[in-house]
């Protein structure tokens, strides 16, 4: 397996966070009172997100974020469209459909149930 990094994000409630990400095809690989690891996709091409408890987090004031670079942004968008997550300009959770940015990258944005900003970036 190649070297890789995993984002560490806050969760006010592991059960709620797990249910939120399960709508997008993530599965729980590990969970204790102090840590949770969710993953999506096959070994070698797996997205991994790790969560730590942060029960007093105010989602509206969260500054946590990460980027997920995807070979299939279209597939991820289909899962977002099929989920209960609204496509909206305000509120938490929500997502914004992909657009080509000034940088040339195609990026969609997801604010999760704890206010973390997840940038979904199409790989070249």
């Amino acid at each position: 397996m190649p070297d890789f990094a995993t984002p560490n994000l806050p969760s006010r409630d592991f059960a709620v966070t797990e249910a939120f990400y399960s709508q997008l095809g993530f599965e729980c690989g590990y969970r204790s009172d102090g840590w949770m690891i969710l993953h999506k996709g096959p070994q070698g091409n797996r997205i991994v997100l790790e969560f730590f408890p942060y029960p007093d987090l105010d989602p509206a004031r969260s500054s946590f974020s990460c980027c997920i670079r995807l070979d299939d942004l279209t597939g991820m968008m289909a899962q977002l469209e099929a989920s209960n997550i609204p496509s909206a300009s305000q509120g938490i959770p929500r997502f914004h459909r992909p657009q080509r940015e000034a940088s040339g990258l195609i990026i969609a944005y997801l604010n999760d149930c704890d206010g973390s900003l997840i940038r979904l970036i199409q790989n070249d």
Side-chain angles (χ1 to χ4, degrees):
M1 174 185 290
D3 294 345
F4 68 98
T6 60
N8 296 175
L9 300 169
S11 171
R12 292 175 296 157
D13 181 312
F14 283 167
V16 172
T17 299
E18 183 178 352
F20 176 85
Y21 281 96
S22 72
Q23 296 177 86
L24 304 178
F26 284 83
E27 298 176 2
C28 187
Y30 174 82
R31 184 169 163 184
S32 71
D33 290 341
W35 206 254
M36 181 172 67
I37 301 173
L38 303 180
H39 60 83
K40 173 186 169 87
Q43 197 75 309
N45 192 28
R46 182 170 280 183
I47 301 168
V48 179
L49 300 174
E50 301 192 26
F51 296 88
F52 57 90
Y54 197 148
D56 297 329
L57 176 69
D58 177 355
R61 298 176 59 97
S62 175
S63 60
F64 291 93
S65 71
C66 74
C67 297
I68 300 176
R69 297 180 183 268
L70 301 162
D71 289 334
D72 184 14
L73 178 58
T74 301
M76 179 65 85
M77 293 311 301
Q79 288 182 298
L80 275 166
E81 295 283 349
S83 76
N84 292 322
I85 304 164
S87 173
S89 60
Q90 295 182 337
I92 296 171
R94 70 176 185 272
F95 75 92
H96 300 267
R97 290 181 175 81
Q99 60 186 24
R100 186 170 298 277
E101 303 286 330
S103 64
L105 297 173
I106 299 172
I107 306 175
Y109 297 90
L110 169 66
N111 286 94
D112 77 4
C113 55
D114 294 300
S116 295
L117 173 61
I118 314 298
R119 293 171 194 86
L120 304 169
I121 303 171
Q122 176 65 53
N123 286 332
D124 288 334

